[in-house]
Amino acid sequence: MRIVWLGHSAFLLEGSKRVLIDPFITGNPMAPVSAEDIKADVILVTHGHGDHLGDAVEIAKRNNALIVCIHELSRILAKRDVETMGMNIGGSAFSSGIRVTMVPALHSADFEDENGEIISCGAPVGFVVEMDGVKVYHTGDTGLFMDMKLIGELYEPDVMLVPIGDFYTMGIREAVKAVELVRPKVAIPMHYGTFPLIDADPMEFKRLAEKICKVVVLKPGESYEV
Ligand code: NI
Ligand code: MN
């Protein structure tokens, strides 16, 4: 599997399928591609915030891709004429060789509709994706929580995608602890550097977390082969 970082929390997992996660491309100053150039079979959305839902609907329509997200958000997106699969925390879904497990995240979520109304859209989540025998844990936006240990024990992720930008999510100190709880083989930092408010030094995270596992720092557009 090839893991491509598209900046912020957006990743493309390329294997037997193309799994896109949190495709915030348009309006992301760090995005290395434009949304029109992205091809995907499945799109996972961790929550309704604009920097995660991003271009999901447009990309789904153009690629005929399925959007996987929490039930409440799926009901909202289904009205936008895309195919959705609304699942809930703790459950797994199997489809064409991919296994997706929805796990908790400690965050908030809302959604702005086309009239500018702010509406509730279910709980924020993370995902464990298994494809071609490789397991990737995308935490979504989250603070540190003890049950990350359970996620590590149950699903034994090979790769953990972990936010380090602080303010809206964990900062470096919490992210290092999260890696210690989950114990992946490889950790890749995300959700930093996009805006001044979430500036963080990924090399500082690497220095601290590398005592626990391998840390791969990507630049937007770069990829890591598992
Ligand atoms: Ni968020
Ligand atoms: Mn966010």
Side-chain angles (χ1 to χ4, degrees), residues 47 49 51-52 107-108 141 168 191:
H47 62 296
H49 287 158
D51 61 320
H52 296 263
H107 191 61
S108 67
D141 275 358
Y168 297 114
H191 210 274

Side-chain angles (χ1 to χ4, degrees), residues 12-184:
L12 182 63
L13 312 182
E14 297 179 332
S16 50
K17 296 280 170 183
R18 294 171 68 86
V19 180
L20 180 65
I21 310 174
D22 282 0
F24 168 50
I25 307 298
T26 304
N28 174 3
M30 306 294 280
V33 290
S34 67
E36 300 82 62
D37 297 329
I38 297 178
K39 292 189 178 63
D41 301 299
V42 182
I43 304 171
L44 311 182
V45 178
T46 61
H47 62 296
H49 287 158
D51 61 320
H52 296 263
L53 180 60
D55 301 286
V57 170
E58 293 76 7
I59 296 172
K61 279 185 180 166
R62 210 183 49 255
N63 288 271
N64 237 331
L66 176 70
I67 296 182
V68 179
C69 58
I70 199 146
H71 167 73
E72 288 81 1
L73 181 58
S74 82
R75 295 184 69 204
I76 295 169
L77 298 182
K79 289 187 179 160
R80 282 156 179 79
D81 222 24
V82 285
E83 196 191 343
T84 62
M85 183 170 77
M87 51 190 298
N88 219 313
I89 295 167
S92 295
F94 300 86
S95 172
S96 42
I98 305 168
R99 176 190 165 108
V100 177
T101 302
M102 184 173 275
V103 296
L106 195 59
H107 191 61
S108 67
D110 60 16
F111 176 88
E112 188 173 347
D113 73 9
E114 48 280 286
N115 305 316
E117 293 286 325
I118 308 297
I119 48 180
S120 165
C121 63
V125 302
F127 291 104
V128 179
V129 185
E130 182 174 0
M131 175 167 66
D132 307 337
V134 177
K135 283 176 275 186
V136 178
Y137 171 27
H138 187 301
T139 68
D141 275 358
T142 189
L144 180 65
F145 56 98
M146 194 62 201
D147 285 358
M148 283 181 166
K149 191 165 193 293
L150 276 180
I151 295 170
E153 284 178 11
L154 270 174
Y155 307 115
E156 300 179 314
D158 299 288
V159 180
M160 180 179 182
L161 310 174
V162 53
I164 65 164
D166 217 331
F167 199 85
Y168 297 114
T169 67
M170 295 187 283
I172 288 174
R173 180 181 174 177
E174 295 79 14
V176 171
K177 189 69 189 177
V179 169
E180 195 183 312
L181 292 177
V182 174
R183 298 217 160 256

